[in-house]
Amino acid sequence: MSNIIIGTAGHIDHGKTSLIKALNGYEGDETKEEKQRGITIDLSFSNLKKAQQNIAFIDVPGHEKLVKNMIAGAFSFDCVMLVVAATEGIMPQTVEHIEIINLLGIKEIVVVLTKKDLVSKEQLELQKETIEKFLKEFEFDIKFICCVSIYEEKSIENLKDKLFTLKSSSKPQENFFRYYVDRVFSVKGIGTVVTGTVLGNQISLDEKVFIPHLQKETKIKNIQVHNQNALEANISNRAALNLQNIKATELQRGDLISKKGFLRGFDTLDISFKCLKGKELHHNRVYSLFIGSKKVEVKVLLFDSTTTLEEGFATIKAKEEFFCIYKEKIILREANDTIAGGIILNSVNDPMKKSQKKLLLNALYEKNIKEAYNILLQAHKKGLGLISSAQRFALSHDEAINFGKNLEEVFCDDKELVIYPIFTKEYIKEQIKQIYTKNSYALLSNAAIKLRIKWASTAFIQTVLDELEKENFLIKDKNLYRNANIKEDFAKNLEDIISKRLEEEDLAPTAPYNIYDDLDIDRKLGDNILKSLCSKKQVIRLQHNLFIHANSLSKVVKQMKEIIKEDGYIDINNFKDKYPLSRKYLITYLDYLDNFSQIKKIDNKRVFLKE
């Protein structure tokens, strides 16, 4: 089914809600307060169907004090239905609504002149000409202008026919689902339900979604699209989602629901902005920022060294985190005054110099993603995750990989989804050379080297190992790499080195993994060497991570027996008096005494059995 969201715009009392009711029978002003005051206070949602076409209507309030609610709805629009009463023409809220629609980059518009029955044909034509002239300033794509009266069924049917000629949503598909909550409530026996518009990608029943500000994953228990149960909700569907194990009190209008792993939260955003005619943004001033259905107080810091600007770059700072993507639209207001519209350029707070940031923002403003990648790689010498491209550049998974592969002077690991500036390869090479120069008998696998250079992917490390092998610096032995200058038997030499080290460490031997790290040998290889030494009885394993040289063990057993002869017993106290070792070693050696038949344990003491 094709979907399109049409949002109303226009001055108060110009007939927006009555027009929606005439089109589909939906009574938008539902609350008692709305009915008493005769105005739409909040957003209302309804739809109109014809065969496989579905039009969703978002009816917004026209009162100047309720523009914030209008903006919350406008972010979802595919097309605007500008409603103008033929009796009054363009009024202040008509202008402000159109300015906001223009700032949000919504270009498709239909014009409906209402109350045609109350004016002459001449007046009607004059109003049409005036509206067309007014809209030309904004470069809208005017699909049609239609004159109606809610009391003339033929005019309403004509409008319906024209609306169904509109093409379905042109919102770009992303590689993950996004959804701004505009309403949240709890239904007895069902649980928490949210409503909103599907952005980015479709969502299916029983699919897991993520609520970033709560850092909680939940499951979709039920989906309703226009009050009908559905198996999925597509882009531009108005959808109600029943969330599992989430309390209604945990959510509010403006919260984002998405997929896990795609969005990181930051309390700053970098934007490009343009003010309305005659307006300016002031440096270091607090404004209300609108994004999706969210409203938040922010401080605006102009990027250029100036106190006011009509257009340019700015950094937005808030007391809470944003979970945004590249090219999302924002509105900035001050009190009841709309000041500027903006586009998010940089939604990830990168540690970089201001000069670098300016270059990045220019590249992003020009949609030069290739240049933006190159600038970011200067700040991310240890790798830039391609998974972040969904947030940084609104790229799909495949698009991000293709960009990475086509960049010059980079290494793209499309398995681990990381790109590295190619010059960092020399840093990895130097690190590996230092290991094998320091320890001539170093014998390491790719995985063991990664433990030392954690930020580098295994594929990137492998390219360096391949080069060092070609340069005859390393020789590959199965999956291990050894120094090419050492010709003798590695295994025998390493056995001798480890055995000698344990003998020197005597009663306080180092844990195996620490020995492996010190000697720069692979852990699996190290374990095999210790097994070999144990089978030859040169080394004795007393615990999982405690290996002692056989000579040292014999010596300590002899000395412990001497203590029993002198004191009549041995326990941790008199043992420690003569051998100030840590409790780990003392207890292990005392436990080892239990292997001897002539020694008996009584409470915490060991004594000789009486003959």
Side-chain angles (χ1 to χ4, degrees):
M1 178 174 283
S2 65
N3 299 289
I4 186 170
I5 294 180
I6 297 178
T8 64
H11 197 73
I12 185 173
D13 289 335
H14 276 211
K16 296 186 296 296
T17 302
S18 298
L19 179 61
I20 298 297
K21 184 180 179 183
L23 286 167
N24 63 11
Y26 179 75
E27 179 69 72
D29 297 333
E30 289 187 315
T31 68
K32 183 178 179 182
E33 187 181 2
E34 285 173 328
K35 289 181 181 293
Q36 287 176 344
R37 292 171 63 182
I39 64 170
T40 301
I41 293 173
D42 208 338
L43 305 173
S44 65
F45 310 98
S46 60
N47 72 302
L48 186 64
K49 284 184 179 179
K50 180 181 179 182
Q52 292 301 305
Q53 290 176 278
N54 184 77
I55 297 172
F57 293 109
I58 300 181
D59 186 22
V60 305
H63 197 285
E64 62 178 335
K65 292 182 180 177
L66 299 169
V67 171
K68 64 181 186 297
N69 289 357
M70 176 267 169
I71 294 172
F75 277 91
S76 302
F77 295 177
D78 294 311
C79 178
V80 177
M81 183 162 67
L82 178 63
V83 179
V84 182
T87 52
E88 292 187 307
I90 295 169
M91 297 291 282
Q93 287 316 118
T94 315
V95 177
E96 185 170 12
H97 280 198
I98 286 301
E99 287 177 335
I100 290 168
I101 295 302
N102 186 55
L103 291 174
L104 290 173
I106 304 165
K107 291 302 178 186
E108 294 190 5
I109 190 168
V110 300
V111 180
V112 180
L113 273 164
T114 57
K115 307 182 184 182
K116 62 173 273 193
D117 55 313
L118 300 180
V119 298
S120 66
K121 287 185 178 180
E122 291 77 15
Q123 286 175 297
L124 205 56
E125 287 302 315
L126 184 61
Q127 290 289 16
K128 284 171 67 175
E129 289 175 13
T130 304
I131 292 167
E132 282 183 301
K133 185 178 178 181
F134 164 67
L135 292 177
K136 276 184 181 178
E137 297 178 26
F138 300 95
E139 299 181 351
F140 285 115
D141 179 7
I142 303 172
K143 295 301 182 181
F144 60 80
I145 298 178
C146 193
C147 303
V148 303
S149 166
I150 60 172
Y151 303 109
E152 293 180 13
E153 189 175 337
K154 187 176 179 182
S155 69
I156 297 299
E157 288 302 317
N158 179 51
L159 175 58
K160 282 185 187 179
D161 291 340
K162 287 181 178 293
L163 289 172
F164 280 116
T165 65
L166 298 174
K167 292 181 180 179
S168 59
S169 170
S170 59
K171 286 190 179 82
Q173 183 168 315
E174 299 154 15
N175 64 327
F176 65 103
F177 161 79
R178 294 187 305 119
Y179 176 102
Y180 281 104
V181 173
D182 51 44
R183 286 180 178 173
V184 56
F185 49 92
S186 182
V187 179
K188 190 174 181 180
I190 293 176
T192 298
V193 176
V194 294
T195 66
T197 301
V198 176
L199 304 171
N201 212 332
Q202 70 177 41
I203 193 71
S204 300
L205 189 66
D206 293 328
E207 197 169 337
K208 287 184 178 180
V209 293
F210 191 68
I211 304 173
H213 80 281
L214 296 177
Q215 290 296 293
K216 275 188 178 182
E217 197 166 36
T218 180
K219 191 166 81 169
I220 306 294
K221 288 166 42 180
N222 189 35
I223 297 174
Q224 283 198 350
V225 177
H226 305 301
N227 299 317
Q228 298 292 318
N229 288 335
L231 294 176
E232 63 183 26
N234 294 298
I235 295 177
S236 280
N237 272 159
R238 286 288 312 163
L241 308 179
N242 182 201
L243 304 178
Q244 186 178 65
N245 298 325
I246 297 292
K247 295 178 182 177
T249 52
E250 294 181 278
L251 297 170
Q252 60 184 354
R253 174 183 281 186
D255 288 340
L256 185 79
I257 301 176
S258 187
K259 299 292 288 184
K260 192 171 185 178
F262 286 100
L263 296 174
R264 288 186 290 159
F266 297 93
D267 59 6
T268 65
L269 297 171
D270 296 312
I271 66 165
S272 66
F273 69 89
K274 186 173 184 179
C275 294
L276 294 175
K277 200 171 182 180
K279 307 276 178 76
E280 291 179 322
L281 277 184
H282 292 257
H283 178 68
N284 207 29
R285 183 176 287 188
V286 174
Y287 293 90
S288 295
L289 179 142
F290 294 81
I291 180 168
S293 54
K294 186 180 185 68
K295 176 192 175 187
V296 60
E297 299 304 302
V298 299
K299 184 175 284 188
V300 173
L301 303 174
L302 299 178
F303 209 83
D304 295 305
S305 300
T306 183
T307 55
T308 60
L309 270 182
E310 293 178 3
E311 61 180 304
F313 297 142
T315 296
I316 301 293
K317 287 195 172 184
K319 292 182 180 178
E320 59 183 273
E321 289 185 331
F322 297 102
F323 298 90
C324 305
I325 65 168
Y326 175 54
K327 288 174 32 178
E328 274 197 87
K329 303 289 197 308
I330 65 159
I331 297 289
L332 290 168
R333 302 189 86 222
E334 191 172 28
N336 289 325
D337 207 9
T338 302
I339 306 298
I343 299 173
I344 294 173
L345 296 179
N346 185 33
S347 57
V348 178
N349 187 8
D350 292 291
M352 57 171 55
K353 296 175 183 177
K354 191 173 181 179
S355 57
Q356 278 183 311
K357 179 68 74 68
K358 185 69 178 286
L359 291 173
L360 176 64
L361 296 183
N362 277 317
L364 292 169
Y365 183 76
E366 298 292 336
K367 301 177 186 177
N368 189 342
I369 305 302
K370 184 177 180 180
E371 180 62 19
Y373 264 123
N374 287 326
I375 294 165
L376 283 167
L377 282 168
Q378 295 301 313
H380 293 269
K381 294 181 175 65
K382 293 184 177 180
L384 181 66
L386 285 173
I387 196 73
S388 69
S389 297
Q391 182 171 10
R392 288 182 183 279
F393 310 124
L395 293 179
S396 70
H397 180 84
D398 291 338
E399 287 172 333
I401 290 174
N402 286 335
F403 254 105
K405 285 181 175 178
N406 290 319
L407 288 172
E408 297 173 356
E409 298 299 313
V410 303
F411 176 82
C412 178
D413 188 334
D414 56 2
K415 185 177 179 182
E416 295 192 31
L417 298 175
V418 185
I419 51 176
Y420 302 89
I422 202 67
F423 61 80
T424 58
K425 185 191 283 188
E426 292 305 315
Y427 175 80
I428 297 174
K429 185 179 283 189
E430 187 56 35
Q431 289 284 98
I432 295 173
K433 281 187 172 182
Q434 285 180 15
I435 291 170
Y436 285 87
T437 303
K438 173 189 162 191
N439 292 314
S440 297
Y441 289 95
L443 200 58
L444 294 170
S445 63
N446 185 317
I449 292 171
K450 182 168 172 56
L451 291 173
R452 292 157 173 77
I453 312 174
K454 292 183 171 60
W455 55 267
S457 72
T458 53
F460 197 23
I461 291 170
Q462 190 59 51
T463 63
V464 179
L465 290 171
D466 291 344
E467 286 186 11
L468 289 172
E469 194 178 0
K470 285 179 182 177
E471 294 169 10
N472 293 319
F473 181 82
L474 295 178
I475 292 176
K476 188 175 183 181
D477 185 358
K478 294 181 180 178
N479 70 322
L480 301 177
Y481 291 85
R482 61 184 177 86
N483 194 319
N485 295 319
I486 305 298
K487 305 299 180 185
E488 57 263 35
D489 186 346
F490 257 72
K492 179 67 173 66
N493 284 331
L494 284 170
E495 276 193 17
D496 292 343
I497 290 169
I498 291 175
S499 177
K500 185 178 179 183
R501 172 165 172 161
L502 289 173
E503 189 170 20
E504 289 173 349
E505 290 177 343
D506 199 25
L507 301 183
T510 307
Y513 286 174
N514 291 332
I515 294 175
Y516 307 159
D517 288 345
D518 290 345
L519 297 177
D520 293 308
I521 60 173
D522 184 76
R523 290 187 174 186
K524 188 175 180 181
L525 172 68
D527 288 344
N528 289 335
I529 290 171
L530 280 177
K531 284 179 184 177
S532 175
L533 289 171
C534 288
S535 68
K536 294 174 182 178
K537 307 296 183 184
Q538 288 182 313
V539 170
I540 310 298
R541 182 181 186 179
L542 297 181
Q543 283 187 1
H544 169 68
N545 63 347
L546 201 161
F547 293 77
I548 187 171
H549 196 276
N551 294 339
S552 299
L553 184 60
S554 296
K555 180 176 67 175
V556 76
V557 168
K558 183 178 179 181
Q559 291 163 340
M560 286 191 292
K561 288 179 178 179
E562 287 297 322
I563 294 173
I564 297 174
K565 285 181 182 178
E566 291 176 14
D567 296 350
Y569 69 91
I570 187 171
D571 64 8
I572 199 164
N573 295 316
N574 63 356
F575 192 11
K576 189 175 180 65
D577 287 342
K578 295 190 178 182
Y579 296 93
L581 299 167
S582 71
R583 287 180 62 86
K584 177 183 79 171
Y585 295 114
L586 294 170
I587 291 171
T588 300
Y589 299 142
L590 286 170
D591 288 343
Y592 185 73
L593 278 181
D594 297 336
N595 293 313
F596 294 88
S597 59
Q598 73 269 35
I599 293 175
K600 181 180 180 181
K601 182 180 179 182
I602 301 175
D603 296 326
N604 291 321
K605 296 179 179 179
R606 270 81 177 179
V607 299
F608 286 127
L609 285 171
K610 293 180 181 179
E611 295 182 1

